[in-house]
Amino acid sequence: MKFGKELVSQMVTEWQEAYMDYEFLKTLLKEVQRFKQRSTTTRPPQHIPRAFSGLMRGANSPMGSATSPDIESQVIMVSPGTCDGLGAAQTTFLMGAEEGGEYEMMFFRRLDDEFNKVVTFYKGKVEEVVREAKVLNQQMDALIAFQIKLKNPRWLEDWSGEITRLAADGAASTPSVARASRRTFMDIIHEEGTNSNGHSDETSNDKDNKEREEIHQNVKQEKQNKIKGNRPSPLEILSHVKINHIVETPRSTIIEFFSVHNEKEIKFTRENLKKVQEQLKLAFIEFYHKLRLLKSYRFLNILAFSKLMKKYDKIASRNASKPYLKMVDNSYLGSSDEVTKLMDRVENAFIKHFANSNRGKGMTALRPKVKIERHRVTFSLGFLFGCTMALVLAVGLITRARNLIDHEGRIQYMDNLFPLYSLFGFIILHMLMCAGNIYFWRRYRVNFTFIFGFKEGTELRYREVLLLSVGVTVLAIVSVLANLDMEMDPITKDYKALTELVPLGLVVLFVLILLCPFNIIYRSSRYFLLVCVFHCICAPLYKVTFPDFFLADQLTSQVQAFRSLEFYVCYYGWGDYKLRQNTCRKSDVYNTSTFIIAAIPYLSRLLQCLRRLYEERDFMQGLNGLKYLSTIVAITTRTGYTLKAGNVWKITAWVASVIAMLFGTYWDIVMDWGLFQKNSKNRWLRDKLLIPHNSVYFVAMGLNVLLRLAWMQTVMNLQVSFLHRQTVIALVAVLEILRRGIWNFFRMENEHLNNVGKYRACKSVPLPFNYDEDANKDE
């Protein structure tokens, strides 16, 4: 793999603009190379005397410095920035008077610009993590005081010096202090334990023992006094610290909203301690992840400068890499070790306080393993896909052999069994679209795992999603084969109850798998999905995160699937399955629930917008809520027109549907996708695009408009003579799922580009403790 591709594959996608532009600088080097080649071919060969040939070879060879120690300074002269990174590096090319020297001057000018950009970004990020380290240091002090207060309050007075010493050793002390303390204790152990020959010093007199004891006490007292002078005692920490009130449950949300109870004092309970430890543990893990990204950023950029300068030496036959790389090593980028020191301190603190001093356990939590592709997933996917093809062929052959298309029971089958099995079709199609989205997100380097907040190594890849969808397909087609029997008992007029219960049994099986507590079939992903579903159901009682409202948007495209679930309840609950008949539509309760079922996903999304409007005071969230409100009105009026045809319902449905379609289309393209910007670099799109072909975006916008028009089918009441009514309803639902799949990719792309624009590569974790500002000022 070429270094350019290797650099791109390892860089942090959100920081890609802050990396050295390797490809651009390599393009400038190619210009230098082309000129060198042209000048070599056009220039006639010159006769060089044999006496000077060895000298010329020595001057031009990489070892030319042996004959002339100042040969490097004759090519470039580097003016480095200050050691703190405030000054800008500047390189002067001393061979500019040569023919074609302007190409090399341009190269060094751009190289300096890239280097200064990298140093500025790196220094800003280091200052940011240093500030965060100070905050985490305060959080650790409060946590340790909290732990000892809960376990033995008497220790706060008797062992306050030891508490602060633990905090300093774990998260706050500098490496120099830690090393000094270790040297002191090692010297004392050596003096008290053995002599220089390795035998016990049994002949030491009492005077020497007293002197060593005095030295030991003095060192210990001096260290404790130093720590006490730098840090407040735990009693003072607990008197100035509060636990941040984080809304986590529906009950706490209601209490916070109505201000019924607003207590901020610390309750020293084991439940609070457990919550505090978990929050701080997550904060340490995320902080360590940021440090790893910074370390990788520094390493990749230094390596890129080294590769580029060596390539320059080879192309231009110079020896300029040594002085320039020496400047890089002496700069803030090359000489700063704050990140490495912070990583060591975080590792020590995390292992000591969150892993019970088990280094293996602690490092596993700090550095989770990257998920590895399994061959068994690919094999299982291929096997199940083959089974699916065989089952589809079997269904076609049986249908043709029995002439079921022209069978008199086909209408009864379409009215009753087709809605039951269409539920699985909607789910399978949505999973296939999800797998396609994951594939293209990875192909165009959209960091969807960070956006969703997946724990590293637990996210599903597109092959695994395909495996799940194909598995569901196999079970669904097997169930269809079991229900292809259209013959009833001529005496009782009943169908076989066992085969009629197959769809219900399949739904129950899927629900049991989804709720299974055992670690099978991607338990972490199932748990993540269930939590998001629960948050959507309980909206607006939970804080809205990206996965929550993204899933709620997916559910708005599965309205027909929810209606199928409603039909399951009616069909099996009222016993219609025995006669394969449908009496649901004659019930007012069923018709009323049809309105409610269709509006539930949009209502959940509306409540999420209201929650964000209340918390963020963002007016755009209010407009987004109006969009979902208009959609609720449109769905309600369309459902009413379907059940009670009339001019009033028809006109109302037409007006509401047109308004909802226009509002939704505008919001999809402009707000969710960030497209249709008049003054962008890419006309009518946006400045930054991940897909290189602009036509893809215009096609996507056109498809979004056309697929949204499928909603109008209910109002226009289009009838297709050769298609059953249930088939038309299913096709409209399929078009909506396809539209949602297209929407998913561009919505995630826009979210990713927003993170790139803000260099946001790490999520912010709420901290458990809050220090009073007055106390901080006093300190």
Side-chain angles (χ1 to χ4, degrees):
M1 180 185 291
K2 294 183 178 180
F3 177 74
K5 294 182 179 180
E6 184 180 357
L7 175 65
V8 173
S9 64
Q10 296 185 29
M11 67 170 52
V12 183
T13 54
E14 288 79 8
W15 296 351
Q16 58 187 3
E17 294 184 357
Y19 282 83
M20 187 253 273
D21 197 342
Y22 184 82
E23 293 299 328
F24 173 71
L25 293 174
K26 200 167 80 168
T27 303
L28 295 180
L29 281 182
K30 288 181 180 178
E31 295 294 331
V32 176
Q33 185 179 21
R34 291 193 189 99
F35 178 82
K36 294 287 184 181
Q37 292 174 350
R38 289 197 304 266
S39 61
T40 303
T41 55
T42 57
R43 184 183 305 162
Q46 298 179 1
H47 176 71
I48 301 176
R50 181 176 299 180
F52 294 97
S53 59
L55 179 60
M56 294 298 294
R57 285 196 300 270
N60 291 328
S61 65
M63 301 300 294
S65 57
T67 58
S68 179
D70 296 328
I71 190 67
E72 296 142 354
S73 61
Q74 295 176 4
V75 179
I76 60 172
M77 185 172 60
V78 184
S79 174
T82 56
C83 59
D84 57 358
L86 296 178
Q90 186 175 2
T91 303
T92 303
F93 181 64
L94 302 179
M95 302 296 182
E98 292 185 357
E99 185 179 3
E102 62 273 9
Y103 292 101
E104 299 179 62
M105 291 177 64
M106 176 63 68
F107 167 74
F108 281 106
R109 189 179 303 119
R110 296 298 185 185
L111 186 67
D112 288 341
D113 293 341
E114 293 298 319
F115 175 77
N116 294 325
K117 177 188 74 174
V118 169
V119 171
T120 302
F121 179 82
Y122 181 74
K123 186 174 186 299
K125 286 296 180 181
V126 170
E127 292 175 350
E128 181 181 327
V129 296
V130 168
R131 291 193 297 267
E132 292 182 12
K134 293 180 180 178
V135 175
L136 286 177
N137 187 26
Q138 293 178 337
Q139 297 288 318
M140 282 301 303
D141 289 341
L143 173 63
I144 294 172
F146 194 165
Q147 289 175 332
I148 298 182
K149 172 70 176 179
L150 181 63
K151 294 177 181 179
N152 193 344
R154 181 174 55 84
W155 288 5
L156 284 176
E157 296 180 1
D158 297 340
W159 298 88
S160 59
E162 181 69 14
I163 297 170
T164 52
R165 184 184 69 81
L166 290 174
D169 290 344
S173 64
T174 60
S176 60
V177 174
R179 288 193 296 268
S181 62
R182 286 196 295 268
R183 286 196 300 270
T184 302
F185 285 114
M186 288 300 294
D187 293 341
I188 294 172
I189 291 172
H190 178 75
E191 290 177 3
E192 292 182 346
T194 59
N195 58 15
S196 59
N197 295 324
H199 300 287
S200 176
D201 192 3
E202 297 177 356
T203 59
S204 299
N205 53 27
D206 296 339
K207 184 177 180 180
D208 294 336
N209 291 333
K210 290 181 180 180
E211 289 180 356
R212 282 193 290 270
E213 289 179 1
E214 290 179 358
I215 293 174
H216 177 74
Q217 292 295 333
N218 292 335
V219 171
K220 184 176 181 180
Q221 186 65 32
E222 182 180 355
K223 184 177 181 182
Q224 289 185 356
N225 292 336
K226 184 177 181 180
I227 295 173
K228 288 182 179 180
N230 293 335
R231 293 183 172 275
S233 67
L235 281 175
E236 295 178 358
I237 292 175
L238 292 179
S239 63
H240 295 294
V241 76
K242 307 292 182 184
I243 293 183
N244 286 328
H245 182 63
I246 301 175
V247 178
E248 295 178 340
T249 63
R251 178 177 176 272
S252 60
T253 303
I254 295 173
I255 292 175
E256 179 72 15
F257 181 78
F258 291 102
S259 299
V260 176
H261 186 63
N262 190 18
E263 183 177 352
K264 295 183 180 180
E265 297 297 329
I266 296 181
K267 290 184 178 180
F268 295 98
T269 61
R270 294 190 179 275
E271 292 77 10
N272 283 341
L273 177 61
K274 186 176 180 180
K275 290 180 181 179
V276 166
Q277 287 177 329
E278 189 63 27
Q279 284 181 302
L280 204 51
K281 180 180 179 180
L282 293 177
F284 265 82
I285 292 175
E286 192 62 30
F287 181 67
Y288 189 79
H289 176 63
K290 183 182 293 187
L291 294 175
R292 289 176 62 196
L293 294 182
L294 270 177
K295 184 177 180 180
S296 174
Y297 174 85
R298 174 177 176 266
F299 170 76
L300 286 177
N301 279 287
I302 292 177
L303 185 59
F305 282 109
S306 175
K307 293 281 186 181
L308 205 64
M309 287 305 301
K310 291 179 180 178
K311 192 177 290 291
Y312 168 78
D313 284 351
K314 182 178 179 180
I315 291 174
S317 299
R318 311 280 192 189
N319 197 7
S321 60
K322 186 175 180 180
Y324 197 89
L325 294 180
K326 183 178 180 181
M327 182 273 296
V328 173
D329 291 337
N330 294 332
S331 67
Y332 188 86
L333 182 69
S335 61
S336 174
D337 60 347
E338 283 89 347
V339 173
T340 304
K341 291 180 179 178
L342 280 175
M343 290 182 71
D344 292 337
R345 298 175 199 171
V346 171
E347 289 175 4
N348 294 332
F350 189 87
I351 292 169
K352 181 175 183 179
H353 297 284
F354 300 107
N356 294 327
S357 299
N358 187 334
R359 183 170 182 82
K361 180 181 177 182
M363 296 308 297
T364 301
L366 288 174
R367 298 187 178 188
K369 295 181 180 179
V370 179
K371 194 170 185 178
I372 303 175
E373 293 282 356
R374 302 288 183 183
H375 293 293
R376 64 188 179 189
V377 173
T378 305
F379 172 79
S380 301
L381 176 60
F383 175 76
L384 291 177
F385 182 77
C387 294
T388 301
M389 293 295 100
L391 289 172
V392 170
L393 181 61
V395 171
L397 293 176
I398 293 175
T399 302
R400 183 176 180 82
R402 297 182 182 179
N403 197 20
L404 298 180
I405 296 178
D406 298 328
H407 196 278
E408 60 182 6
R410 71 183 187 281
I411 303 299
Q412 194 176 15
Y413 184 92
M414 293 298 297
D415 286 336
N416 299 284
L417 290 183
F418 185 80
L420 301 178
Y421 287 110
S422 63
L423 169 66
F424 303 108
F426 300 147
I427 296 175
I428 292 169
L429 179 60
H430 214 128
M431 294 174 69
L432 291 175
M433 297 299 295
C434 179
N437 286 326
I438 293 174
Y439 172 79
F440 286 107
W441 286 336
R442 286 197 176 276
R443 179 177 178 180
Y444 293 105
R445 296 180 56 79
V446 176
N447 195 358
F448 69 96
T449 56
F450 166 68
I451 296 174
F452 280 121
F454 292 139
K455 185 179 179 181
E456 188 175 356
T458 62
E459 73 280 2
L460 292 182
R461 305 199 176 189
Y462 76 94
R463 285 191 181 91
E464 295 164 333
V465 179
L466 282 177
L467 177 62
L468 293 175
S469 61
V470 175
V472 176
T473 304
V474 169
L475 294 176
I477 297 178
V478 170
S479 302
V480 170
L481 284 172
N483 279 122
L484 281 180
D485 187 8
M486 296 187 180
E487 300 296 334
M488 68 173 64
D489 192 308
I491 299 175
T492 62
K493 304 297 182 181
D494 290 349
Y495 289 82
K496 293 182 180 179
L498 182 62
T499 56
E500 295 299 310
L501 288 173
V502 168
L504 179 62
L506 191 57
V507 170
V508 173
L509 175 63
F510 287 156
V511 172
L512 291 178
I513 293 176
L514 188 62
L515 300 177
C516 179
F518 302 108
N519 191 14
I520 58 173
I521 313 180
Y522 310 114
R523 182 180 63 176
S524 60
S525 299
R526 289 189 285 110
Y527 177 77
F528 184 85
L529 176 63
L530 289 175
V531 170
C532 293
V533 169
F534 185 73
H535 287 179
C536 294
I537 295 174
C538 296
L541 301 180
Y542 281 95
K543 182 178 179 63
V544 182
T545 59
F546 185 89
D548 295 339
F549 71 74
F550 190 85
L551 177 61
D553 280 324
Q554 308 307 304
L555 297 179
T556 58
S557 297
Q558 289 286 357
V559 171
Q560 196 57 42
F562 287 110
R563 286 175 172 169
S564 296
L565 288 175
E566 178 194 12
F567 183 71
Y568 266 90
V569 175
C570 172
Y571 188 70
Y572 289 101
W574 294 355
D576 289 346
Y577 71 95
K578 297 178 181 178
L579 301 175
R580 196 178 282 185
Q581 63 182 4
N582 185 354
T583 60
C584 299
R585 293 185 178 86
K586 299 178 182 178
S587 172
D588 293 336
V589 176
Y590 180 84
N591 293 332
T592 303
S593 62
T594 302
F595 285 86
I596 300 174
I597 290 294
I600 284 178
Y602 296 94
L603 179 62
S604 174
R605 193 68 186 89
L606 170 62
L607 294 176
Q608 287 179 342
C609 292
L610 294 178
R611 172 64 184 261
R612 295 186 66 183
L613 176 63
Y614 173 76
E615 286 186 340
E616 302 172 11
R617 299 293 189 266
D618 186 2
F619 178 71
M620 299 305 295
Q621 294 300 325
L623 292 179
N624 198 15
L626 287 178
K627 180 193 73 174
Y628 290 105
L629 180 61
S630 66
T631 307
I632 292 174
V633 174
I635 289 179
T636 305
T637 54
R638 286 202 303 270
T639 306
Y641 173 65
T642 304
L643 299 176
K644 299 178 181 180
N647 291 331
V648 177
W649 279 105
K650 185 176 183 179
I651 295 174
T652 307
W654 263 98
V655 174
S657 298
V658 170
I659 294 175
M661 187 199 69
L662 295 176
F663 202 168
T665 302
Y666 171 81
W667 200 273
D668 286 345
I669 297 175
V670 178
M671 305 305 298
D672 290 338
W673 295 358
L675 302 176
F676 215 68
Q677 297 179 9
K678 185 187 301 184
N679 298 323
S680 66
K681 297 178 182 177
N682 304 292
R683 187 168 179 79
W684 299 113
L685 299 177
R686 63 170 108 87
D687 291 340
K688 298 179 182 178
L689 302 173
L690 294 183
I691 301 178
H693 306 290
N694 293 357
S695 58
V696 174
Y697 294 91
F698 291 104
V699 171
M701 288 191 287
L703 285 176
N704 185 275
V705 176
L706 291 177
L707 294 177
R708 274 195 175 273
L709 286 174
W711 277 9
M712 305 300 294
Q713 183 274 339
T714 308
V715 182
M716 293 183 289
N717 197 19
L718 296 177
Q719 299 293 335
V720 183
S721 58
F722 58 88
L723 292 179
H724 191 272
R725 177 176 174 275
Q726 291 294 337
T727 305
V728 175
I729 293 175
L731 287 177
V732 173
V734 165
L735 293 177
E736 171 59 22
I737 295 173
L738 293 175
R739 187 196 68 82
R740 181 60 62 183
I742 298 172
W743 179 90
N744 288 342
F745 175 82
F746 295 101
R747 176 66 181 88
M748 193 67 66
E749 179 198 22
N750 190 38
E751 185 71 17
H752 171 75
L753 290 176
N754 289 335
N755 290 338
V756 171
K758 299 176 182 178
Y759 299 103
R760 186 167 50 200
C762 297
K763 59 184 178 181
S764 58
V765 179
L767 297 175
F769 296 107
N770 182 30
Y771 282 80
D772 290 344
E773 295 182 0
D774 296 338
N776 292 335
K777 291 179 181 179
D778 293 339
E779 294 174 6

